[in-house]
Amino acid sequence: MTGIVLAAGQGTRMKSKYPKVIHRILDVPMVNWVVSALRKAGADRIVVVTGYEASMVEDILDDDIISVRQNPQLGTGHAVMTAVDYLDDEEIVVIAGDEPLVRPSTLKELVFARGEKDLDVVFLTMKPSDPTGYGRVVKDGNRVKIVEHRDADPETRKINEVNSAIYAFRGSFLRSAISRLSNNNDQKEYYLTDTVAMAEKADTIIVEDAREVLGVNDRIQLAEINSIAQRRINEELMKNGVTLVNPTTCYIGPEVQIGIDTVIEPMVFITGRTTIGEGCLIGPMTRIENSKIEDNVEIVRSEVSSADVRSGARVGPLSRLRPGAVVMNDAHVGNFVELKKTVLGRRSKAQHLTYLGDTNVGEDVNIGAGTITCNYDGKNKHKTEISDRAFIGSNTALVAPVKIGENSVIAAGSAITEDVPPNSLAFGRARQVVKEGRFSNNNGQEEKS
Ligand code: UD1
Ligand code: CA
């Protein structure tokens, strides 16, 4: 099956510099919701018709998606014509790029119905309370036609079954029908909808839940569809054993996976290809993107991006895991601690006010409060190596490149610029000097000596 996604329009009512279909529903551009539905419905080839700011749309498409450019945009029928090279004799599903909520199961139903009844075309329709603006569906036995709102007479406008712009075509029929389209209508456009009247056998399927085919035309609808998508995903998670304490405040992307008995506290954002294991506690007020979180992990009030958190680890409150952070099993990351390209070994702890960048921390290491790796010299990044069971005293600056050996202890307040061998104690600070009697009890004034 080939899927053709019409996405060349500007979407004037969005009042945007960007093409409509790249605006996001949750964290995924609208057109990619449609692409993903087609994929899940079994499309083995997907063609996206781009036009307005085409390269912006092409940039967000997966590599295996074909794109063709339609310039100028002369209507939905003309959009399909630009994809003519991809119209074979197989099944062809045509779908507007601005209807992100369509379900794969509905697309499958459409394709199944076409084959079963040997139809030239079958398309999804709905019966909205106000059909204004939509193409009206006029039926006469096996023949069906669609009359666009602006071309419809008052009688036709009373029809409340309308076209939702999602179609399954017999490939050979579509190819021949689009070559016969004319632009003899109010907008002087080539309407894809006119192909329906050319079919000897056409039919419609009325969608049960009209929300599924809602289109995005302005930013109010964008927000509405966003909340429908949010609810759909959250309910699916809850059905599958995830607790969402206050689902309306949680935004979880369509590609996220979460295991059973994980509890998501309020105000949590989880996006990208994040996976979260079982029995975790996430939130409140946490953002996680493109990360892998194993089982029984706790992440409280933190930011986590492209990081890896292993079973039993605890992160937060107020931690920041940046790309390449790996928190190993049962390790702890605490408040105001930032990790970047850093592995924190098993059972190791960095609990307070710390920056670890480009660092390898072994097992059972204690990183004292205020430890900073000085990994950047203004030009290059350098590595820090902290071996198993080392103890880094509070307020230590580790000037990379530098290595701290196993079991070694760094005295608090040190600036460490040279490697420390195993089993050692290293100081890197000025010796404390005490001048007794320098101040007496005369209002803090220095004694004249
Ligand atoms: C279309 C249908 C209408 C249906 C409605 C449902 C036609 C003529 N009409 O109307 O029957 O009720 O959808 O929402 O098809 N596009 C292109 N190239 C073009 C024109 C449009 O790619 O030259 C794309 C747009 O980007 C959009 C989709 O096709 O994603 C639909 O186009 P739009 O102009 O919104 O059609 P409607 O007027 O909504
Ligand atoms: Ca539309």
Side-chain angles (χ1 to χ4, degrees):
M1 184 240 285
T2 297
I4 305 213
V5 181
L6 307 186
Q10 175 180 5
T12 332
R13 280 174 286 167
M14 293 296 283
K15 305 242 167 79
S16 176
K17 285 187 257 182
Y18 308 105
K20 175 164 75 180
V21 294
I22 74 168
H23 286 266
R24 286 164 194 268
I25 298 298
L26 298 169
D27 61 317
V28 172
M30 227 184 284
V31 64
N32 283 341
W33 283 77
V34 176
V35 164
S36 150
L38 279 168
R39 253 197 237 283
K40 290 181 186 152
D44 44 22
R45 184 165 67 170
I46 298 173
V47 183
V48 176
V49 181
T50 63
Y52 178 74
E53 293 290 4
S55 61
M56 288 192 196
V57 181
E58 287 156 9
D59 283 350
I60 52 121
L61 296 175
D62 287 343
D63 292 343
D64 62 332
I65 305 298
I66 300 162
S67 61
V68 295
R69 291 190 179 189
Q70 181 204 12
N71 281 312
Q73 291 103 46
L74 303 178
T76 47
H78 178 253
V80 174
M81 285 177 212
T82 60
V84 69
D85 290 351
Y86 302 98
L87 306 181
D88 53 21
D89 288 343
E90 305 292 308
E91 200 69 38
I92 296 177
V93 171
V94 179
I95 180 168
D98 61 355
E99 292 178 17
L101 296 178
V102 67
R103 291 179 190 273
S105 54
T106 306
L107 296 179
K108 277 188 189 161
E109 227 178 281
L110 197 64
V111 169
F112 180 79
R114 200 210 60 75
E116 194 189 40
K117 300 184 194 155
D118 196 32
L119 302 165
D120 295 315
V121 56
V122 55
F123 58 102
L124 291 179
T125 61
M126 54 180 164
K127 291 187 167 174
S129 48
D130 178 12
T132 307
Y134 290 105
R136 305 300 202 282
V137 177
V138 184
K139 285 180 169 165
D140 177 14
N142 272 339
R143 315 290 304 219
V144 179
K145 70 178 176 181
I146 302 172
V147 183
E148 289 306 301
H149 180 89
R150 47 205 302 168
D151 302 308
D153 58 37
E155 242 354 82
T156 309
R157 284 188 181 179
K158 284 187 194 148
I159 296 173
N160 75 337
E161 183 177 2
V162 303
N163 172 27
S164 76
I166 299 173
Y167 319 76
F169 285 98
R170 185 200 310 278
S172 52
F173 165 75
L174 178 60
R175 219 169 41 236
S176 109
I178 55 158
S179 69
R180 288 180 275 146
L181 284 178
S182 85
N183 62 351
N184 184 17
N185 53 54
D186 187 57
Q187 296 193 82
K188 298 279 166 283
E189 284 188 355
Y190 296 89
Y191 289 165
L192 179 62
T193 44
D194 286 348
T195 60
V196 172
M198 299 177 198
E200 273 167 29
K201 284 176 83 184
D203 204 354
T204 66
I205 295 181
I206 303 174
V207 284
E208 262 169 49
D209 180 0
R211 288 178 307 179
E212 204 180 320
V213 291
L214 282 179
V216 176
N217 293 303
D218 58 34
R219 296 195 196 230
I220 294 166
Q221 289 166 334
L222 183 72
E224 279 165 7
I225 286 188
N226 203 55
S227 26
I228 296 171
Q230 177 201 21
R231 201 175 328 135
R232 194 192 268 184
I233 288 171
N234 290 353
E235 284 176 4
E236 196 61 32
L237 288 166
M238 291 187 277
K239 280 185 204 154
N240 287 316
V242 179
T243 295
L244 274 73
V245 174
N246 185 356
T248 51
T249 65
C250 294
Y251 296 84
I252 302 174
E255 288 162 11
V256 173
Q257 290 176 16
I258 307 181
I260 59 165
D261 292 325
T262 284
V263 175
I264 310 287
E265 296 272 7
M267 298 183 74
V268 167
F269 305 78
I270 309 174
T271 56
R273 293 179 199 271
T274 296
T275 60
I276 297 180
E278 300 182 355
C280 296
L281 175 68
I282 309 291
M285 287 177 272
T286 289
R287 186 195 299 273
I288 302 176
E289 59 171 22
N290 291 317
S291 294
K292 183 165 180 281
I293 315 297
E294 288 188 353
D295 299 336
N296 304 313
V297 166
E298 210 180 287
I299 303 182
V300 179
R301 247 185 286 174
S302 292
E303 295 273 336
V304 177
S305 172
S306 303
D308 205 327
V309 183
R310 303 284 163 86
S311 292
R314 290 217 313 254
V315 176
L318 300 164
S319 310
R320 181 164 181 218
L321 304 184
R322 290 172 51 203
V326 181
V327 181
M328 296 295 290
N329 307 63
D330 306 307
H332 293 181
V333 181
N335 42 278
F336 306 105
V337 173
E338 173 181 346
L339 264 51
K340 186 221 74 177
K341 279 197 191 159
T342 287
V343 179
L344 186 66
R346 287 166 178 260
R347 296 173 302 279
S348 290
K349 293 177 181 161
Q351 297 275 46
H352 335 263
L353 303 160
T354 287
Y355 171 60
L356 299 173
D358 306 292
T359 300
N360 239 318
V361 179
E363 299 182 355
D364 299 299
V365 168
N366 189 80
I367 306 282
T371 297
I372 306 290
T373 53
C374 312
N375 59 328
Y376 184 51
D377 61 12
K379 284 204 184 93
N380 298 304
K381 300 280 169 70
H382 300 284
K383 295 215 133 218
T384 300
E385 194 79 45
I386 303 172
S387 302
D388 296 350
R389 295 173 303 281
F391 183 100
I392 311 297
S394 295
N395 202 30
T396 291
L398 298 163
V399 182
V402 72
K403 285 185 184 169
I404 312 299
E406 279 179 25
N407 302 320
S408 286
V409 173
I410 307 298
S414 292
I416 297 295
T417 54
E418 285 162 28
D419 290 356
V420 177
N423 310 313
S424 315
L425 171 62
F427 289 83
R429 64 188 189 205
R431 178 174 291 277
Q432 180 171 328
V433 176
V434 178
K435 299 206 169 168
E436 275 190 60
R438 175 64 72 92
F439 292 92
S440 69
N441 196 14
N442 58 356
N443 298 325
Q445 292 301 303
E446 206 169 339
E447 286 281 294
K448 300 236 164 43
S449 52

